[in-house]
Amino acid sequence: MTRRMLRLLCLVPALLAAAGPGDPPPWRLGSPPAEFVLDNGLRVVLQRDDPLPITVVQLWIGGGDRDDPQDKPGLAYLTARLCLEVTEASMLRRLVDFGSSFSLDVGGDGILVTVRSLSRHLDATLEVLAAMLNEPLLSDVRIDGVKGLMRSLQKQEGDDAFSLLGKAAAKAFYGRPAYGASRFGSEESLRRIGRRDIQEFHRGHYAAGNLAAFIASDLGAEELRPLLERRLGRFPAGPRLDARLPAAVTPQDRALKLERRTSQSLVAVVAALPPPTAGNLAAATLLESWLGRGIGSRLWALRSRAGLAYGLGTELWPNRGGMLLGVFLRTESGRLDEARTELEKLLLEVREQGVDEAGLAAAKAYARAVHWRQNESRERRAAFLAFLEGAGLSWRLAGGCAAALEGVGLDEFNSLVRSALDPEGWLRMEIGPGAEDSPQ
């Protein structure tokens, strides 16, 4: 472990204290949810939301692409996508008739299946979805079809500079196919993955003890519980899987150049932060906001320097095994060296100067506004609860996020700024024409 990571870890107790000891703060995100467990061991967290007769179910399946075997990246996505292949035309017609829909998001720590339904059609909708998830049709034709889709997604990911930034950074820091480094696999890994691999992944991960349902609905627990027992109770009982967490380690080669034939180039600095906790997640969110979110951020000055930056910002990638913070800007390919110099100069100035009370207050106000706006809808609220559970924290922290942001102190935040922006831990990245290397 580097000296920089040790300094960052030393911040965690102070940041936890900023969030407050003991129980989570009072709930401030809609009505307080209730939690119960189905007979098969599947956990349910229900938030009552009265005005509209609509129910959103966020079904969390523990273990995303971090659980892909070393030589078979893409297995988690392939399995999840096959589980949502409609096996009979009648099933699709029923969902269309109900006005129901579903979507899939495969992450590093888990798989999120989102179900949207009118509350009066929820029973029938979950009947269809539970059947698909429990008994996916693993024919050669369907497997080959999803693999073809994944090849297309690989190409799309490689053609988008920002997606490529996240993928390459994850590969560099985690040193294995995890947390987005190879979510859609590679041509070689897709050839290796067979039906037996998919069956084993499904059997281990799609068991009730490894699932949790986060629900926002106008229906109460007394109405929903019997319905959920009938539908989600169909999942076989099974244990919650132990998390195999890859740790983020600063790579030895701290300069990465990826060649892409584009008129613009992307310049970035990426740094590793410790795994998320109740306190440091709030502080890291503030750092993301203060550095590069909005017109008042510290990066904004680069936009006004003779048109140097077409776009700029920060991105926090929080995973249970660690967090990555990326700082980036887009520029003309002919100004790549100038952009890199100016970006690194600004980050060193920011590290040296830190933030004052007014700057921290402004960052908190912006981060709180984003928090409230992003969690207005039932779907996003339920997904946020699922994210916190997947990050190894607790859904109960969701209701006190605004208080946790407010509780981050000036000294603690400046310590985080100095540690996170230590150039000792930077991965310098360039994506654009004329670069020397290309990812494998």
Side-chain angles (χ1 to χ4, degrees):
M1 182 178 291
T2 66
R3 287 180 289 118
R4 175 177 169 277
M5 287 301 290
L6 284 171
R7 288 196 297 271
L8 280 167
L9 287 169
C10 288
L11 289 171
V12 172
L15 293 172
L16 281 170
D23 295 333
W27 189 269
R28 296 287 187 271
L29 195 64
S31 62
E35 181 175 1
F36 55 90
V37 180
L38 303 183
D39 291 344
N40 62 353
L42 192 151
R43 293 172 56 226
V44 177
V45 177
L46 170 63
Q47 185 177 44
R48 187 77 177 265
D49 196 344
D50 288 325
L52 297 174
I54 296 172
T55 296
V56 174
V57 179
Q58 300 283 11
L59 185 64
W60 176 263
I61 301 152
D65 67 11
R66 72 169 192 223
D67 285 356
D68 284 346
Q70 184 77 22
D71 62 339
K72 296 174 182 175
L75 178 58
Y77 184 91
L78 177 58
T79 304
R81 189 65 181 77
L82 283 164
C83 285
L84 291 182
E85 286 286 296
V86 179
T87 57
E88 298 177 12
S90 60
M91 288 184 173
L92 182 59
R93 283 196 299 270
R94 292 181 70 189
L95 292 175
V96 171
D97 290 343
F98 299 150
S100 303
S101 64
F102 59 88
S103 59
L104 172 69
D105 183 16
V106 177
D109 292 304
I111 298 160
L112 193 64
V113 178
T114 303
V115 183
R116 312 165 193 89
S117 173
L118 293 172
S119 297
R120 66 178 182 272
H121 294 317
L122 181 63
D123 189 25
T125 298
L126 288 183
E127 180 184 15
V128 173
L129 267 295
M132 292 165 55
L133 289 166
N134 263 307
E135 301 172 357
L137 182 58
L138 303 180
S139 66
D140 289 341
V141 171
R142 289 183 179 271
I143 292 172
D144 289 344
V146 175
K147 286 182 177 180
L149 170 65
M150 293 172 68
R151 293 185 181 96
S152 176
L153 293 171
Q154 291 170 21
K155 186 176 185 305
Q156 291 178 31
E157 190 177 49
D159 289 341
D160 180 76
F162 187 76
S163 296
L164 187 58
L165 169 66
K167 174 180 178 176
K171 183 176 180 180
F173 278 94
Y174 295 108
R176 52 166 289 187
Y179 292 142
S182 191
R183 184 154 296 155
F184 307 121
S186 64
E187 187 60 43
E188 294 76 14
S189 71
L190 292 182
R191 281 199 297 266
R192 293 190 194 103
I193 298 173
R195 183 184 293 107
R196 181 173 298 179
D197 301 307
I198 299 167
Q199 289 171 334
E200 289 179 357
F201 191 95
H202 183 270
R203 187 162 45 247
H205 288 77
Y206 290 69
N210 199 50
L211 307 179
F214 298 87
I215 303 175
S217 176
D218 62 311
L219 303 176
E222 67 282 354
E223 299 171 89
L224 274 177
R225 183 161 188 160
L227 183 158
L228 297 174
E229 289 284 5
R230 282 196 305 275
R231 304 311 177 198
L232 300 187
R234 293 182 55 185
F235 284 97
R240 183 173 184 174
L241 295 180
D242 292 333
R244 297 177 292 172
L245 302 179
V249 178
T250 302
Q252 291 185 342
D253 184 358
R254 295 191 287 118
L256 184 60
K257 300 180 180 181
L258 308 177
E259 184 175 359
R260 288 295 181 272
R261 293 183 178 179
T262 57
S263 60
Q264 297 179 6
S265 293
L266 187 71
V267 181
V269 167
V270 183
L273 306 180
T277 66
N280 70 8
L281 182 57
T285 300
L286 281 177
L287 180 58
E288 177 190 39
S289 173
W290 177 68
L291 264 181
R293 293 296 176 101
I295 60 175
S297 68
R298 295 303 304 268
L299 283 181
W300 195 257
L302 294 179
R303 198 175 186 110
S304 60
R305 293 186 187 177
L308 179 63
Y310 289 106
L312 46 78
T314 52
E315 187 72 21
L316 180 67
W317 291 288
N319 294 295
R320 193 170 176 182
M323 296 187 286
L324 299 182
L325 178 69
V327 186
F328 62 91
L329 64 83
R330 297 178 188 269
T331 189
E332 294 177 5
S333 297
R335 304 183 70 180
L336 185 62
D337 291 340
E338 179 188 1
R340 180 177 59 251
T341 299
E342 291 296 327
L343 176 62
E344 294 187 10
K345 177 183 176 182
L346 177 64
L347 292 179
L348 290 174
E349 290 175 356
V350 166
R351 181 173 185 263
E352 178 67 25
Q353 296 168 2
V355 65
D356 57 16
E357 290 283 3
L360 183 58
K364 289 178 178 181
Y366 185 88
R368 284 197 307 271
V370 170
H371 168 69
W372 295 126
R373 185 171 66 251
Q374 288 184 341
N375 289 284
E376 282 181 338
S377 72
R378 299 179 183 190
E379 183 173 331
R380 296 295 294 271
R381 248 190 345 264
F384 185 45
L385 270 60
F387 159 74
L388 289 172
E389 283 288 316
L393 304 174
S394 168
W395 63 263
R396 293 177 175 83
L397 295 173
C401 277
L405 290 169
E406 191 59 41
V408 177
L410 184 65
D411 291 341
E412 293 86 359
F413 186 74
N414 277 321
S415 294
L416 177 62
V417 170
R418 288 190 293 271
S419 296
L421 298 184
D422 185 347
E424 175 190 337
W426 287 357
L427 171 66
R428 297 167 170 88
M429 298 183 64
E430 298 174 10
I431 300 175
E436 300 173 355
D437 303 316
S438 181
Q440 300 299 315

